[in-house]
Amino acid sequence: MIVAAFVDAERAVADWVNSLDGSLVGVGHPLAKGAHLTALRGAASACYALISLLPGSVALGPENPDHRARISASIYGPTKEAATAAAVAYANALLTLDGRRQPMGQAVICLVVDPDSISGPSWAPEPTGPRLLVDADFYLRAA
């Protein structure tokens, strides 16, 4: 019997993004307002990421039942240029998750983000303003 180790992937990825306060998140950085699980209200005065879980599954086989989570980051910003810069910075940050185990909050370890699974940044405007999407497969394990 396989025991799946599903985790709160959205919270884990948001926690990881928000931990990058020296390079990605915070005043003067591309994702100034960080990552959130619910949309911020009003027009974006600075860029932020809305993290969403797409369908995922257990991965890597019965001997190693980790959670493969397809995560979509909707990057919102005050201008297309700012949102694009933030989406590119986020996508590049994903490339650093290349197999070195990375803590994501207190309860999750990221084993890897499959670089071949990264799609975007792609332009997906909304009535509320500029938005770009970056999707990727995260391989996660409960800590």
Side-chain angles (χ1 to χ4, degrees):
M1 179 176 156
I2 299 172
V3 177
F6 291 101
V7 299
D8 183 352
E10 287 176 321
R11 171 55 50 207
V13 173
D15 286 350
W16 170 70
V17 169
N18 291 330
S19 76
L20 301 176
D21 57 4
S23 59
L24 185 63
V25 174
V27 176
H29 297 295
L31 272 179
K33 290 189 176 182
H36 302 271
L37 302 183
T38 57
L40 301 181
R41 294 185 180 257
S45 58
C47 295
Y48 75 94
L50 175 62
I51 304 298
S52 302
L53 177 65
L54 301 176
S57 66
V58 173
L60 307 177
E63 302 83 25
N64 196 11
D66 296 307
H67 185 178
R68 179 179 61 221
R70 183 84 178 153
I71 296 290
S72 182
S74 296
I75 311 294
Y76 292 91
T79 66
K80 183 177 182 180
E81 293 78 11
T84 299
V88 167
Y90 170 76
N92 284 327
L94 295 177
L95 294 175
T96 68
L97 299 172
D98 60 359
R100 292 175 300 206
R101 294 173 185 242
Q102 174 69 42
M104 292 193 161
Q106 296 181 349
V108 178
I109 300 292
C110 180
L111 303 175
V112 68
V113 168
D114 179 3
D116 293 332
S117 76
I118 299 171
S119 63
S122 58
W123 178 237
E126 287 192 346
T128 57
R131 176 179 73 144
L132 286 96
L133 301 176
V134 179
D135 298 345
D137 290 342
F138 288 74
Y139 289 81
L140 305 171
R141 176 177 291 163

